[in-house]
Amino acid sequence: MGERSKSRGWCGWFLVLAILAIVALAVVITIKKKAGHGHSGEAAPVPGPPGATVKKYADSLKVAMQFFDVQKSGKLVNNKIDWRGDSALDDGSQADLDLSKGMYDAGDHMKFGFPMAFTATVLSWAILEYGDQMDVVNQLEPAQDSLKWITDYLVNAHPTDNVLYIQVGDPNEDHKCWDRPETMTEKRPLTQVNTSSPGTEVAAETAAAMASASLVFKSINSTYSSLLLKHAKQLFTFADKYRGSYSESIPEVQTYYNSTGYGDELLWAASWLYYATGDQSYFNYVTGPNGKAFAKWGSPTWFSWDNKLAGTQVLLSRVSFFGGKDASNSENLQNYRKTAEAVMCGLLPKSPTATTSRTDGGLIWVSEWNALQQPVASAFLAVLYSDYMLSSRTATLSCDGDSYGPSDLRKFAISQADYVLGNNPMKLSYLVGYGDNYPQYVHHRGASIPADAKTGCSDGFKWLDSTDPNPNVAVGALVGGPFLNETYVDSRNNSMQGEPSTYNSAVIVGLLSGLVTTSSVVQSFT
């Protein structure tokens, strides 16, 4: 009896030890998993100056930058697109203004101020963050030149404190024609916002464009930088004092660039003015009652020409990452950063809070129209946030208990860029002019009509309906993109998928500039 009891006791203890070992192993595995997908929990070294370039991103950046030249209006200087020429030289003349510059919005000949200003803001942001990387592949000067082409127009579109011209052309009349911009004859009416017809979102976005661009030109042309900053301050005051949506003041704009609200633009503009001026009042604006009213903390959104919240959250995270007197005691600043982290967690495909809004091939997919805007803009924000983490030696971010590092965000950004450049089920580059297989029937008037064609307003539609590929390559155009099932119909009449835009170009230039090589981001824009 005694021997059998001792044996049972020994077996019992062995069983307990085995169970404890299994539990311990499970805990170790869980901790490793939580520690984040290969992360030690230690911060990676801060990158130094720009390193070796990645050829595909260098080559595609050079291509993408050229679409700004394709879209330029006015008297072209050092024209690099052989099928483009001077156009719209009289724009603004009925108001004694020179509105000949700026850029055509997409495949037509309209100048829409709201998305054009957003284009300038994002392009400024890309230059401020990645100008050194652009410079390595000789794209910094072209980016600055394209930015100035827009801001020159925006300065002239703001003739007095409380008046901003926000559109050149009548879209209904413009879309009755299929012609080249160099030979267009349709009337070019002007549309403005003012104190009696306010347009807070478009005035604030233009203020953001001016403020961010003032930082770009500060060390290059201080006089011009000061001029831009003066306009930015005036426009922000106008936007904030006379609050009202331009979609309500001017109902006709709803068909093309309808705004879903102006609170995001006010915060976006105030954030850029804070960086441009260092004025505490702008910081108080975004972290005080206006932040509480408009920031939607804790609710991640998609970054686009219409909604700037995700961009604002990432931009203000800079203050949190890189310190300064304003960073330490602001709870609401941390709310911006926490929401930016929620945006990032939604993008990471293995995160517990990953968005399901993506194709089987891994592309973020939100909208049938211009499907590539959100994935490319999201990837741009991800590479920025990744570099903020690296440059501030922040090892991880937490997504519902799981940890991820900067390399995970960069990997996501690369996945979106590579999809755009041809790593997709169609094996199609959605960046026109890059690779061996890209859309040939881009929905773009100038590209579809031979440069020597004698075409009027309506007889040019034969070129829209032609079954021949475009005679001119709209080089650098980022088309709308694939359907959810990852198909693309290359037809000139398929504007949903095949029409490019300047704001798409801004986000793809930003993304590719962040991937072309590695370097630490500056801790201050000034």
Side-chain angles (χ1 to χ4, degrees), residues 491-510:
S491 166
R492 205 174 287 115
N493 272 296
N494 180 14
S495 57
M496 179 184 287
Q497 290 188 289
E499 187 169 17
S501 63
T502 49
Y503 45 93
N504 272 11
S505 292
V507 289
I508 192 67
V509 161

mmCIF file of all heavy atoms in Angstrom, residues 491-510:
data_model
loop_
_atom_site.group_PDB
_atom_site.id
_atom_site.type_symbol
_atom_site.label_atom_id
_atom_site.label_comp_id
_atom_site.label_asym_id
_atom_site.label_seq_id
_atom_site.Cartn_x
_atom_site.Cartn_y
_atom_site.Cartn_z
ATOM 1 N N SER A 491 -10.970 52.053 -70.976
ATOM 2 C CA SER A 491 -11.818 52.706 -71.970
ATOM 3 C C SER A 491 -11.842 54.196 -71.687
ATOM 4 O O SER A 491 -11.955 54.612 -70.534
ATOM 5 C CB SER A 491 -13.245 52.141 -71.902
ATOM 6 O OG SER A 491 -14.146 52.963 -72.619
ATOM 7 N N ARG A 492 -11.736 54.995 -72.728
ATOM 8 C CA ARG A 492 -11.713 56.449 -72.561
ATOM 9 C C ARG A 492 -13.019 56.973 -71.978
ATOM 10 O O ARG A 492 -13.050 58.019 -71.332
ATOM 11 C CB ARG A 492 -11.416 57.110 -73.907
ATOM 12 C CG ARG A 492 -10.791 58.483 -73.811
ATOM 13 C CD ARG A 492 -10.397 59.005 -75.184
ATOM 14 N NE ARG A 492 -9.230 58.322 -75.707
ATOM 15 C CZ ARG A 492 -9.229 57.541 -76.791
ATOM 16 N NH1 ARG A 492 -10.351 57.342 -77.459
ATOM 17 N NH2 ARG A 492 -8.137 56.952 -77.186
ATOM 18 N N ASN A 493 -14.109 56.255 -72.193
ATOM 19 C CA ASN A 493 -15.399 56.669 -71.650
ATOM 20 C C ASN A 493 -15.584 56.247 -70.201
ATOM 21 O O ASN A 493 -16.572 56.612 -69.564
ATOM 22 C CB ASN A 493 -16.543 56.086 -72.501
ATOM 23 C CG ASN A 493 -16.893 56.997 -73.663
ATOM 24 O OD1 ASN A 493 -17.350 58.117 -73.452
ATOM 25 N ND2 ASN A 493 -16.654 56.523 -74.880
ATOM 26 N N ASN A 494 -14.644 55.487 -69.663
ATOM 27 C CA ASN A 494 -14.746 54.986 -68.295
ATOM 28 C C ASN A 494 -14.062 55.974 -67.341
ATOM 29 O O ASN A 494 -12.980 55.722 -66.835
ATOM 30 C CB ASN A 494 -14.100 53.595 -68.202
ATOM 31 C CG ASN A 494 -14.167 52.995 -66.803
ATOM 32 O OD1 ASN A 494 -14.904 53.472 -65.942
ATOM 33 N ND2 ASN A 494 -13.389 51.948 -66.581
ATOM 34 N N SER A 495 -14.737 57.107 -67.119
ATOM 35 C CA SER A 495 -14.127 58.134 -66.259
ATOM 36 C C SER A 495 -14.043 57.678 -64.804
ATOM 37 O O SER A 495 -13.180 58.130 -64.049
ATOM 38 C CB SER A 495 -14.903 59.455 -66.357
ATOM 39 O OG SER A 495 -16.265 59.267 -66.012
ATOM 40 N N MET A 496 -14.927 56.771 -64.382
ATOM 41 C CA MET A 496 -14.906 56.284 -63.006
ATOM 42 C C MET A 496 -13.545 55.669 -62.672
ATOM 43 O O MET A 496 -12.998 55.895 -61.593
ATOM 44 C CB MET A 496 -16.014 55.239 -62.794
ATOM 45 C CG MET A 496 -16.043 54.657 -61.390
ATOM 46 S SD MET A 496 -17.277 53.352 -61.201
ATOM 47 C CE MET A 496 -18.791 54.303 -61.211
ATOM 48 N N GLN A 497 -12.988 54.905 -63.597
ATOM 49 C CA GLN A 497 -11.718 54.233 -63.359
ATOM 50 C C GLN A 497 -10.532 54.911 -64.040
ATOM 51 O O GLN A 497 -9.400 54.789 -63.568
ATOM 52 C CB GLN A 497 -11.787 52.781 -63.858
ATOM 53 C CG GLN A 497 -12.676 51.870 -63.047
ATOM 54 C CD GLN A 497 -12.542 50.429 -63.481
ATOM 55 O OE1 GLN A 497 -12.994 50.038 -64.549
ATOM 56 N NE2 GLN A 497 -11.903 49.614 -62.644
ATOM 57 N N GLY A 498 -10.806 55.591 -65.139
ATOM 58 C CA GLY A 498 -9.707 56.017 -66.000
ATOM 59 C C GLY A 498 -9.364 57.488 -65.984
ATOM 60 O O GLY A 498 -8.506 57.923 -66.764
ATOM 61 N N GLU A 499 -10.023 58.278 -65.105
ATOM 62 C CA GLU A 499 -9.712 59.710 -65.073
ATOM 63 C C GLU A 499 -8.693 59.999 -63.971
ATOM 64 O O GLU A 499 -8.898 59.642 -62.816
ATOM 65 C CB GLU A 499 -10.970 60.544 -64.845
ATOM 66 C CG GLU A 499 -10.712 62.040 -64.985
ATOM 67 C CD GLU A 499 -11.984 62.865 -65.034
ATOM 68 O OE1 GLU A 499 -13.062 62.353 -64.648
ATOM 69 O OE2 GLU A 499 -11.910 64.029 -65.464
ATOM 70 N N PRO A 500 -7.601 60.665 -64.313
ATOM 71 C CA PRO A 500 -6.596 61.034 -63.311
ATOM 72 C C PRO A 500 -6.945 62.376 -62.678
ATOM 73 O O PRO A 500 -7.861 63.070 -63.129
ATOM 74 C CB PRO A 500 -5.315 61.144 -64.141
ATOM 75 C CG PRO A 500 -5.801 61.616 -65.491
ATOM 76 C CD PRO A 500 -7.190 61.047 -65.676
ATOM 77 N N SER A 501 -6.229 62.745 -61.630
ATOM 78 C CA SER A 501 -6.451 64.037 -60.980
ATOM 79 C C SER A 501 -5.151 64.527 -60.358
ATOM 80 O O SER A 501 -4.261 63.733 -60.038
ATOM 81 C CB SER A 501 -7.529 63.913 -59.895
ATOM 82 O OG SER A 501 -7.089 63.032 -58.879
ATOM 83 N N THR A 502 -5.070 65.842 -60.170
ATOM 84 C CA THR A 502 -3.852 66.403 -59.586
ATOM 85 C C THR A 502 -3.714 66.027 -58.110
ATOM 86 O O THR A 502 -2.600 65.864 -57.613
ATOM 87 C CB THR A 502 -3.852 67.941 -59.735
ATOM 88 O OG1 THR A 502 -5.121 68.448 -59.295
ATOM 89 C CG2 THR A 502 -3.626 68.341 -61.168
ATOM 90 N N TYR A 503 -4.833 65.871 -57.406
ATOM 91 C CA TYR A 503 -4.708 65.522 -55.985
ATOM 92 C C TYR A 503 -4.267 64.073 -55.818
ATOM 93 O O TYR A 503 -3.594 63.747 -54.836
ATOM 94 C CB TYR A 503 -5.988 65.827 -55.195
ATOM 95 C CG TYR A 503 -7.281 65.398 -55.842
ATOM 96 C CD1 TYR A 503 -7.853 64.164 -55.581
ATOM 97 C CD2 TYR A 503 -7.950 66.250 -56.723
ATOM 98 C CE1 TYR A 503 -9.043 63.774 -56.163
ATOM 99 C CE2 TYR A 503 -9.143 65.873 -57.317
ATOM 100 C CZ TYR A 503 -9.684 64.631 -57.043
ATOM 101 O OH TYR A 503 -10.854 64.251 -57.638
ATOM 102 N N ASN A 504 -4.625 63.201 -56.759
ATOM 103 C CA ASN A 504 -4.037 61.857 -56.748
ATOM 104 C C ASN A 504 -2.526 61.938 -56.936
ATOM 105 O O ASN A 504 -1.763 61.193 -56.314
ATOM 106 C CB ASN A 504 -4.630 60.998 -57.868
ATOM 107 C CG ASN A 504 -5.888 60.266 -57.443
ATOM 108 O OD1 ASN A 504 -6.451 60.544 -56.388
ATOM 109 N ND2 ASN A 504 -6.335 59.332 -58.252
ATOM 110 N N SER A 505 -2.094 62.848 -57.808
ATOM 111 C CA SER A 505 -0.660 63.004 -58.047
ATOM 112 C C SER A 505 0.058 63.466 -56.788
ATOM 113 O O SER A 505 1.176 63.030 -56.506
ATOM 114 C CB SER A 505 -0.418 64.010 -59.183
ATOM 115 O OG SER A 505 -0.869 63.477 -60.412
ATOM 116 N N ALA A 506 -0.572 64.346 -56.028
ATOM 117 C CA ALA A 506 0.073 64.850 -54.812
ATOM 118 C C ALA A 506 0.328 63.723 -53.819
ATOM 119 O O ALA A 506 1.419 63.628 -53.238
ATOM 120 C CB ALA A 506 -0.782 65.947 -54.175
ATOM 121 N N VAL A 507 -0.652 62.848 -53.608
ATOM 122 C CA VAL A 507 -0.460 61.789 -52.608
ATOM 123 C C VAL A 507 0.506 60.712 -53.102
ATOM 124 O O VAL A 507 1.282 60.170 -52.308
ATOM 125 C CB VAL A 507 -1.805 61.173 -52.138
ATOM 126 C CG1 VAL A 507 -2.566 62.161 -51.277
ATOM 127 C CG2 VAL A 507 -2.656 60.680 -53.293
ATOM 128 N N ILE A 508 0.511 60.414 -54.412
ATOM 129 C CA ILE A 508 1.459 59.400 -54.896
ATOM 130 C C ILE A 508 2.885 59.956 -54.874
ATOM 131 O O ILE A 508 3.841 59.241 -54.559
ATOM 132 C CB ILE A 508 1.091 58.868 -56.308
ATOM 133 C CG1 ILE A 508 1.923 57.620 -56.663
ATOM 134 C CG2 ILE A 508 1.269 59.913 -57.381
ATOM 135 C CD1 ILE A 508 1.640 56.398 -55.855
ATOM 136 N N VAL A 509 3.044 61.253 -55.153
ATOM 137 C CA VAL A 509 4.370 61.872 -55.053
ATOM 138 C C VAL A 509 4.847 61.829 -53.598
ATOM 139 O O VAL A 509 6.013 61.529 -53.319
ATOM 140 C CB VAL A 509 4.348 63.316 -55.600
ATOM 141 C CG1 VAL A 509 5.533 64.136 -55.094
ATOM 142 C CG2 VAL A 509 4.350 63.293 -57.125
ATOM 143 N N GLY A 510 3.954 62.117 -52.659
ATOM 144 C CA GLY A 510 4.322 62.044 -51.248
ATOM 145 C C GLY A 510 4.738 60.645 -50.835
ATOM 146 O O GLY A 510 5.766 60.453 -50.174
#
